[in-house]
Amino acid sequence: MDDSPLQVLTRPTAPYPDQRPGTSGLRKKVSVFQSKKDYLQNFVQSIYSSIDLLDRQGSTMVVGGDGRYFNQTAIEVIVQMAAANGVGRLVIGHHGIMSTPAVSCVIRKYKAIGGIVLTASHNPGGREGDFGIKFNTANGGAVTREEGTGGKGPAQDAVTNRIFQISRTIEEYAICPELRVDLATLSKQTFDLENKFKPFTVEIVDSVESYANMLRNIFDFAALKELLSGENHIKIQLDAMHGVMGPYVKRILCEELGSPANSAINCVPLQDFGGQHPDPNLTYAADLVETMRGGQYDFGAAFDGDGDRNMILGKHGFFVNPSDSVAVIAANVFSIPYFQHTGVRGYARSMPTSAALDNVARATKIELYETPTGWKFFGNLMDAGKLSLCGEESFGTGADHIREKDGLWAVLAWLSILATREQSVEDIIKDHWQTFGRNFFTKYDYEEVDLDAAIQMMEDLELMILEKAFMGQRFAVGEKLYQVEKADNFEYTDPVDGRICRNQGLRIIFTDGSRIIYRLSGTGSVGATVRVYIDSYEKDPDKIFRDPQVMLAPLVTIALKVSQLHERTGRSGPSVIT
Ligand code: G1P
Ligand code: ZN
């Protein structure tokens, strides 16, 4: 074997104009990464260059992905470029695979300066599917502010902007093309590089173990073991949807907590997720819903491709709306030892998420923050010690143990509540509505619609809002009458650093507190995805058990009429209803 130091090369490249990261990093079709010369290299160099040289040199970074097609190829490039860019040590998941929550956990554990996550989350994978790459900072997530910079200034995601600016003018990238890393062996590998005093190290780690360790310190594993394998154990069904969660579910739920092997399904990670959308909702996890309807399982859950999202189901497929899920966890925080130790500092939800959590916050006198869509806003609050538990309507739930939403954490939180309350999922939810009232919630997603039509529709709606066309307007649908109290484009002032974030969704708010919200997705990769969210509070005990689609039908009618959504997009209905 040749022991001479590895060459460090600088290669010329030309910038691409379209590498602006969206809600969760840069997401494109796999074919874009494969066919456009140095497309990945440009973005990776932009990430490394965005980190101050002093911070980068000799630093530790974490790399992991959800195992989708192109994951491995991308990691090889990221490693070769890390070495050439002065990073001292990379901590990488076994086979290059790590769930998004595990990356967050490992960044914090190793005190890394950040990490690179390879995922397009719940978007389909495979050759024809999507690929994505995002950068997490030292806190284990994305942040919206730059360390050390103070209050004023326009709303911006400083790190993301820096990466984007560099990508627009990039002229060269650095790489060690001969460096070969073995991702298949748990090991520590060192490489000597020319012009470098210290060797570059790569550690291939068992991220499942690090992540399991963290959970052991959050939950009462003995109580969970009793629930899942004790004398009166319940039966569960967990669907990893062929994403990254398979190994985590198997190791933690089956091997450690004693749930039988057949309670975990689709646990082999596949590069194309078996050709499905790895998105845990009623549409894409329909098989699980069907199985649960059969009535032989008490609890069901599904995860998305990278393991940060979750869907919770009760016996007979009883659906737990994610907006309710976080509220129920909040109302039962005493079931989770972690919160007993840390106390609860605050709650938060994204603006489109129903206000169910607000009712718990009010009753327990705990601060509630309403943030724009996307987990990074929670990260700022958590870093400032203002937030303990949060959630989004888009099947994201989590806490301040890491800086990403955490699918398996949510499942263990729910199982902890079942263990403490000794009730079914359905009874827990129904009790909750009886105590706090119910926020009926629905979301209509229109995927892959014409981009121009979607933008035009949003602009016209915003114009009507600016002209106050809606103010005081009454809408009568059947016997229901709704009067507009306020309409705006949501803006958020970060309570930590004072930054203002504008254009976060159009809202029409009615005098009874009901809300209609319109947003364009920031994570899609084709055309536009229009999201319409509806939230309406009801405390009348005779009405709280009704079907949300029936209860919300008048507001849906108003939402479609006001926006002319169907006429504008040529659609006759949404692609997904939650
Ligand atoms: C979507 C969800 C949002 C979530 C994000 C990442 O973003 O709506 O709540 O944080 O995915 O999982 P969107 O496509 O709406 O921008
Ligand atoms: Zn995800």
Side-chain angles (χ1 to χ4, degrees), residues 422-453:
E422 299 181 350
Q423 276 180 300
S424 69
V425 171
E426 184 166 348
D427 287 346
I428 290 169
I429 289 277
K430 288 186 167 167
D431 274 4
H432 185 91
W433 292 336
Q434 267 160 338
T435 311
F436 295 97
R438 177 175 182 185
N439 280 80
F440 283 94
F441 178 84
T442 191
K443 173 169 70 159
Y444 280 29
D445 290 318
Y446 296 78
E447 295 172 337
E448 298 188 12
V449 303
D450 181 72
L451 185 62
D452 292 334

Side-chain angles (χ1 to χ4, degrees), residues 186-469:
L186 293 174
S187 58
K188 185 169 174 179
Q189 302 160 38
T190 56
F191 304 89
D192 287 322
L193 309 182
E194 64 175 21
N195 314 331
K196 297 269 187 316
F197 300 120
K198 288 192 186 154
F200 166 71
T201 18
V202 174
E203 281 173 50
I204 308 297
V205 301
D206 178 359
S207 71
V208 181
E209 192 46 39
S210 303
Y211 179 77
N213 239 329
M214 177 187 72
L215 293 186
R216 281 183 205 113
N217 289 318
I218 295 176
F219 298 102
D220 179 348
F221 266 39
L224 293 175
K225 192 165 183 178
E226 184 61 28
L227 178 79
L228 297 176
S229 52
E231 209 176 322
N232 297 314
H233 68 89
I234 63 165
K235 287 181 79 181
I236 65 173
Q237 187 76 170
L238 301 177
D239 187 346
M241 299 186 86
H242 291 302
V244 73
M245 286 312 286
Y248 297 83
V249 169
K250 284 265 174 214
R251 177 95 63 91
I252 297 167
L253 272 297
C254 301
E255 286 167 31
E256 184 152 356
L257 298 175
S259 203
N262 64 5
S263 55
I265 54 168
N266 299 326
C267 281
V268 178
L270 296 178
Q271 289 196 340
D272 67 347
F273 309 110
Q276 309 289 311
H277 276 252
D279 200 1
N281 59 39
L282 295 171
T283 306
Y284 297 126
D287 288 351
L288 177 71
V289 177
E290 205 41 50
T291 307
M292 290 300 296
R293 286 209 177 110
Q296 61 190 120
Y297 298 101
D298 305 292
F299 178 90
F303 307 96
D304 72 336
D306 64 326
D308 54 357
R309 293 187 174 195
N310 74 92
M311 175 171 72
I312 305 288
L313 299 172
K315 199 169 184 142
H316 302 295
F318 181 87
F319 173 66
V320 179
N321 192 292
S323 300
D324 283 337
S325 177
V326 64
V328 169
I329 297 172
N332 291 280
V333 274
F334 51 82
S335 303
I336 301 169
Y338 175 85
F339 292 123
Q340 287 171 0
H341 299 146
T342 62
V344 175
R345 305 186 175 103
Y347 295 132
R349 63 166 171 85
S350 63
M351 181 274 284
T353 302
S354 96
L357 183 60
D358 306 32
N359 305 330
V360 181
R362 209 174 303 115
T364 50
K365 299 199 169 48
I366 287 173
E367 191 78 30
L368 181 283
Y369 301 91
E370 183 180 34
T371 61
T373 295
W375 208 259
K376 62 191 172 197
F377 297 95
F378 298 143
N380 270 7
L381 295 167
M382 289 173 180
D383 287 351
K386 290 177 181 294
L387 174 60
S388 297
L389 169 69
C390 52
E392 292 194 278
E393 48 62 43
S394 53
F395 297 85
T397 325
D400 62 347
H401 59 295
I402 53 170
R403 296 294 179 273
E404 293 279 3
K405 51 188 174 260
D406 191 341
L408 196 54
W409 176 92
V411 166
L412 294 196
W414 264 93
L415 291 174
S416 304
I417 297 171
L418 294 185
T420 316
R421 296 186 61 124
E422 299 181 350
Q423 276 180 300
S424 69
V425 171
E426 184 166 348
D427 287 346
I428 290 169
I429 289 277
K430 288 186 167 167
D431 274 4
H432 185 91
W433 292 336
Q434 267 160 338
T435 311
F436 295 97
R438 177 175 182 185
N439 280 80
F440 283 94
F441 178 84
T442 191
K443 173 169 70 159
Y444 280 29
D445 290 318
Y446 296 78
E447 295 172 337
E448 298 188 12
V449 303
D450 181 72
L451 185 62
D452 292 334
I455 290 175
Q456 195 60 55
M457 184 200 88
M458 291 294 283
E459 283 178 1
D460 290 349
L461 258 177
E462 177 159 27
L463 201 63
M464 290 200 274
I465 286 173
L466 291 178
E467 289 169 347
K468 303 204 183 313

